[in-house]
Each structure stands twice: as structure tokens, then as C-alpha cells.
């Protein structure tokens, strides 16, 4: 939710990971209200052109962290909301998505260990664009203890889970404060760490050890106002807050290190209950799925990989076209139209799509090819069919179309 401290957490996580020795990048993708230029005040805030090509820029580097934000971009760029002290960024969702893509892919990041994305509130176009354009390693959810904020955080976690992005940790910001009398007070209500109901809403698989509570802190606020995040300025009196950020950073770093070497951290939230499938008697993580199109045979080749082996299967093009893009079953050709599927199941479909009920099956099938496919992050693949209809299929749906079943735990 807006105002819970996402940007504060992102900036401090970046500098704490840098303190651990990481090569860290931080990008502010909240194009409607960029916060990074307020939280971090670099000595040289100028964005300069890169030598890599036209349209490429160099990130600003400050105290070992590379960063980029629409708020740093020159106000003469023509992009609404660009530049320091600019007016409100008024743009529709598709334009916001294009601006985010340009910030991400038009920046010469160089060699990084971790790139942290400071997301805008909600579950809109920007989040969907990022999840489909990038293979995100994980997400850190930020909330306050209030039910209103925690409910929105749960929706965000559910969105990332549906797109194949696991939630690594939850930060409960502004959780409590200690008064001069030594008593601890919870002005925003009972902690989600102690409330099984709210924890269940967020993600039943997130362990309590992965929920980090930060106090209401004048020291954190002062650091923000001074443009030097707490984990960069490191005041002695902020030992409690710095300890929480240290534990959070260790958790994130451990998860990413295991992921890099093909191992999983069992205490992290799994992507979904359907993250494992079985094909030819072997279990596979659907994140390992690769798909290729063969236009002459009008088929798709599916390959799944694991540490112990691999499997391959062929999907006829006509079968995939008449396959539910999200749920992984054949479409009811008599009752399910494309519009109804899109409304019921949040499937991304562009152009009018016809499913089944073709009078001339050979003619209908030939219209589907040649095809173009594109991987969409960890979620799945988009297929641009020969008749110019584009459908985004989830990894799970593709695996089911190839004959895979849900793996038994």
C-alpha cells in the first residue's frame, strides 16, 4: 500500500547488501511518484549518456550503489514527471510500462550481484510489465500491522505468486515504539507476526522467521530527510533498526546465493502449489521449462530439466490454441469464449481469439502458423499466432498441455 515505507526499505536494503560486499543496483520504478531522489542525495546527481548506444544512459553511483530513477532524469526528456521538483506524472498504464522498460533496459548497469526494484503500490500495469519482461528472483513485501495495509500486501504477494515470483520476506514497518517509561506500544494494532489470520492472508507458507519488524523510528525518518539512508549513515543510536536490516539482508542474500547455485531454501515461500510437475516418471520444477516452436510441423517442443535428468514432449499447435492459457485444461468449445475466459481467469489475451468450432479444421490449423514465441519472465510464454492473436500461457498450463501432471509431494 502507498506510504508503508517500501522506498525506505528498498534503499536501506540496497546499502546493507553493499555493506556486505555486494555489487548492488537500485532502481525506482514508481514512475508516478519517484522517491529515490529524496531518500538519497548523491554528490553528482546528473544522468549522463552511455557510450553503448543511443538511448542508453549511465546510472548514478553513490557510496557503492548504482541507482536510477525518473526523478533523476532531465526534465527536458519529455517524459511526464521527470526531473527533480517536477509536477505530477500523468500517464496511462501502457505508457508507464514503457517508461519503466526504458529505465530498466536503457541503463548501463554493468556487473551487478543484485538489482533491487522499488515498486509502486498496487498490482497494476507496472508490476505486470516487470514480471513479464524480467525473471525476478524474489519479492520482499512491505506492510504495516494494520489490517488495511496487510490486506493489500496479501494481494501483492498473491499476484507475485501467480506470476511465479516467490516472496522471500515480509517487512512489517512501523510495527511498534518504546516509550520513555520502557513500555512497548502498538499504535497500528497487533502484529501480523502474532496474528495467524493475517499471516494466512499474506501467505500460509511464509515462516514467522521471515517476517521482520521495524519500529516507528525518528532516526529512520531523520536519515530519510537528510538524504542518507540509515544503513549508509549508520548512527550509533540506531542499533535496533540496523540489526533488523542486517537480518533482512542476510536472509535475502542467503536466498539469492542458494538460487544462483540451483539450490532452494525450504524456508522461503514456494512459488505455488503447482510449482512441481511430473513427466515421464520424473519430477521437474516448472521454472525449468523451455519451449520452442517448429513452424513446418506446426508443433511446439517442450523440455523440462532437473539435476537428475530431462524430458521432452511435443504439443500440437491446434491443441495449444484450444488449451486454457492459465488453468491447464482443454477449453469448453461450446461454452467458453475468449472474453469470458479473460474475465474469469485474468488471462492476458490481445485481439479477438477464436477457440475451436472451426468448420474447416485444416484451414483453421494452417492459419495458426507461423508463430512467434517470447518468454514472459517466470510466468510463461506468449504465443503470437499466425492470425495475429497473442495469448500468454502460464508455465503450468504449457506443462499440462505437454502431458505433465502435478507432482506428488
Amino acid at each position: 500500500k502507498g506510504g508503508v515505507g517500501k522506498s525506505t526499505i528498498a534503499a536501506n536494503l540496497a546499502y546493507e547488501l553493499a555493506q556486505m560486499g555486494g555489487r548492488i543496483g537500485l532502481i525506482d520504478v514508481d514512475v508516478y511518484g519517484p522517491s529515490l531522489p529524496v531518500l538519497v542525495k548523491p554528490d553528482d546527481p546528473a544522468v549522463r549518456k552511455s557510450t553503448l548506444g543511443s538511448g542508453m544512459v549511465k546510472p548514478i553511483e553513490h557510496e557503492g550503489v548504482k541507482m536510477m530513477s525518473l526523478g533523476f532524469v532531465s526534465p527536458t526528456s519529455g517524459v511526464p514527471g521527470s526531473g527533480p521538483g517536477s509536477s505530477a506524472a500523468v500517464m496511462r498504464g501502457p505508457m508507464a510500462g514503457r517508461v519503466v522498460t526504458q529505465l530498466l533496459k536503457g541503463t548501463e548497469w554493468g556487473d551487478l550481484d543484485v538489482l533491487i526494484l522499488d515498486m509502486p503500490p498496487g498490482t497494476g500495469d507496472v508490476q505486470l510489465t516487470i514480471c513479464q519482461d524480467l525473471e525476478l528472483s524474489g519479492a520482499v513485501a512491505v506492510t504495516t500491522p494494520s489490517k488495511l495495509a496487510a490486506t493489500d500486501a496479501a494481494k501483492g504477494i498473491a499476484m507475485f505468486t501467480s506470476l511465479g515470483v516467490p516472496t522471500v520476506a515480509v517487512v512489517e514497518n512501523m510495527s511498534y515504539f518504546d516509550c520513555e517509561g520502557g513500555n512497548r506500544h502498538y499504535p497500528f494494532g497487533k502484529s501480523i507476526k502474532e496474528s495467524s489470520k493475517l499471516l494466512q492472508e499474506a501467505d500460509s507458507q511464509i515462516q514467522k522467521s521471515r517476517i521482520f519488524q521495524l519500529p516507528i523510528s525518528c532516526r529512520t525518518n531523520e536519515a530519510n530527510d537528510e538524504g542518507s539512508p540509515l544503513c549508509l549513515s549508520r548512527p550509533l543510536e540506531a542499533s535496533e533498526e540496523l540489526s533488523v536490516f542486517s537480518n533482512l539482508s542476510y536472509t535475502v542474500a542467503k536466498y539469492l546465493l542458494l538460487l544462483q547455485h540451483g539450490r532452494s531454501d525450504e524456508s522461503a515461500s514456494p512459488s505455488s502449489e503447482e510449482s512441481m510437475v511430473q513427466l515421464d516418471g520424473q519430477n521437474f520444477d516448472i521454472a525449468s521449462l523451455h519451449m520452442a516452436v517448429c513452424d513446418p510441423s506446426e508443433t511446439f517442443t517442450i523440455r523440462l530439466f532437473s539435476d537428475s535428468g530431462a524430458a521432452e514432449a511435443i504439443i500440437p499447435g491446434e491443441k495449444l490454441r484450444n488449451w486454457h492459457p492459465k488453468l491447464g485444461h482443454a477449453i469448453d468449445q461450446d461454452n467458453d469464449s475468449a472474453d469470458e475466459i479473460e474475465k474469469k481467469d485474468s488471462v492476458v489475451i490481445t485481439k479477438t481469439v477464436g477457440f475451436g468450432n472451426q468448420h474447416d479444421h485444416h484451414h483453421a490449423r494452417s492459419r495458426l502458423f507461423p508463430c512467434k514465441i517470447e518468454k514472459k519472465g517466470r510466468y510463461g510464454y506468449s504465443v503470437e499466432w499466425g492470425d495475429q492473436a497473442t495469448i500468454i500461457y502460464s508455465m503450468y498450463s504449457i506443462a499440462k498441455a505437454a502431458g505433465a501432471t502435478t507432482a506428488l509431494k
Side-chain angles (χ1 to χ4, degrees):
K1 201 165 186 67
V4 297
K6 294 183 297 298
S7 298
T8 297
I9 303 303
N12 280 286
L13 178 59
Y15 277 102
E16 190 64 24
L17 287 171
Q19 178 82 7
M20 297 169 64
R23 298 169 295 179
I24 309 300
L26 172 62
I27 182 168
D28 181 359
V29 293
D30 188 353
V31 295
Y32 294 108
S35 304
L36 192 54
V38 176
L39 293 173
V40 183
K41 294 179 180 176
D43 299 327
D44 182 5
V47 175
R48 293 179 171 83
K49 292 182 179 180
S50 167
T51 58
L52 292 182
S54 61
M56 296 290 292
V57 297
K58 294 181 178 179
I60 295 168
E61 189 163 356
H62 181 64
E63 300 293 343
V65 173
K66 296 178 180 180
M67 59 189 70
M68 179 54 65
S69 169
L70 187 60
F72 289 132
V73 177
S74 170
T76 62
S77 65
V79 180
S82 60
S86 62
S87 58
V90 181
M91 62 182 92
R92 295 185 183 275
M95 182 178 181
R98 289 194 294 271
V99 171
V100 167
T101 299
Q102 179 61 31
L103 286 173
L104 279 164
K105 299 184 177 180
T107 302
E108 182 189 342
W109 292 106
D111 293 328
L112 294 177
D113 296 312
V114 183
L115 178 62
I116 296 173
L117 285 69
D118 179 17
M119 293 282 208
T123 54
D125 287 305
V126 171
Q127 287 87 345
L128 187 61
T129 296
I130 289 172
C131 287
Q132 292 182 350
D133 283 354
L134 301 176
E135 290 195 34
L136 298 179
S137 300
V140 175
V142 183
T143 183
T144 66
S146 72
K147 186 175 182 180
L148 187 64
T151 300
D152 274 14
K155 293 177 182 177
I157 291 171
M159 178 201 70
F160 281 112
T161 299
S162 70
L163 294 172
V165 181
T167 297
V168 181
V170 176
V171 177
E172 182 185 279
N173 197 22
M174 296 178 276
S175 180
Y176 60 88
F177 73 90
D178 295 327
C179 68
E180 294 179 353
N183 294 319
R184 179 161 291 188
H185 303 271
Y186 299 88
F188 295 113
K190 191 176 182 181
S191 166
I192 62 170
K193 200 168 186 176
E194 300 172 7
S195 171
S196 58
K197 183 178 179 182
L198 285 178
L199 187 64
Q200 188 75 22
E201 288 177 355
D203 190 321
S204 61
Q205 301 298 325
I206 294 177
Q207 297 186 2
K208 290 186 178 182
S209 62
R210 289 183 170 267
I211 301 176
F212 299 88
Q213 295 173 295
L214 275 167
I216 299 172
S217 169
C218 60
R219 293 174 289 273
T220 303
N221 185 65
E222 290 167 358
N224 289 346
D225 291 346
E226 292 169 2
S228 180
L230 203 67
C231 291
L232 176 60
S233 57
R234 310 189 77 81
L236 294 176
E237 59 272 18
S239 59
E240 182 180 5
E241 295 91 333
L242 290 172
S243 176
V244 176
F245 280 119
S246 176
N247 292 333
L248 171 64
S249 300
Y250 176 81
T251 298
V252 172
K254 177 186 174 184
Y255 169 82
L256 293 175
L257 182 63
L258 290 172
L259 183 68
Q260 182 182 3
H261 292 279
R263 297 173 58 191
S264 62
D265 187 348
E266 294 182 356
S267 61
S269 170
S271 299
S272 71
E273 293 180 356
E274 299 161 343
S275 61
M276 298 295 295
V277 294
Q278 188 174 87
L279 185 64
D280 294 342
Q282 301 180 70
N283 287 348
F284 299 97
D285 186 335
I286 60 169
S288 71
L289 186 147
H290 289 259
M291 182 165 79
V293 61
C294 181
D295 288 323
S297 63
E298 300 189 350
T299 60
F300 298 89
T301 302
I302 309 302
R303 295 183 178 94
L304 289 159
F305 301 90
S306 70
D307 292 339
S308 58
E312 180 178 292
I314 303 297
I315 305 176
E318 190 174 10
K319 177 180 180 180
L320 188 64
R321 181 55 179 266
N322 291 285
W323 197 256
H324 195 291
K326 182 178 180 182
L327 301 181
H329 59 69
I331 292 169
D332 186 341
Q333 298 178 359
D334 295 325
N335 299 320
D336 285 343
S337 69
D339 291 339
E340 289 170 344
I341 292 171
E342 188 170 4
K343 288 177 184 177
K344 288 189 296 183
D345 301 310
S346 303
V347 174
V348 181
I349 299 176
T350 61
K351 192 182 180 297
T352 302
V353 180
F355 293 110
N357 285 333
Q358 306 287 350
H359 295 294
D360 186 342
H361 287 284
H362 176 74
H363 174 69
R365 193 174 63 204
S366 63
R367 285 193 302 109
L368 301 180
F369 289 84
C371 281
K372 294 180 181 179
I373 65 172
E374 181 183 359
K375 193 174 183 184
K376 289 295 183 180
R378 288 175 170 266
Y379 179 72
Y381 282 83
S382 70
V383 178
E384 183 182 338
W385 295 95
D387 60 359
Q388 298 183 330
T390 300
I391 306 175
I392 298 180
Y393 295 87
S394 70
M395 294 289 198
Y396 175 74
S397 179
I398 295 170
K400 292 283 284 185
T405 58
T406 303
L408 298 176
K409 297 182 179 180

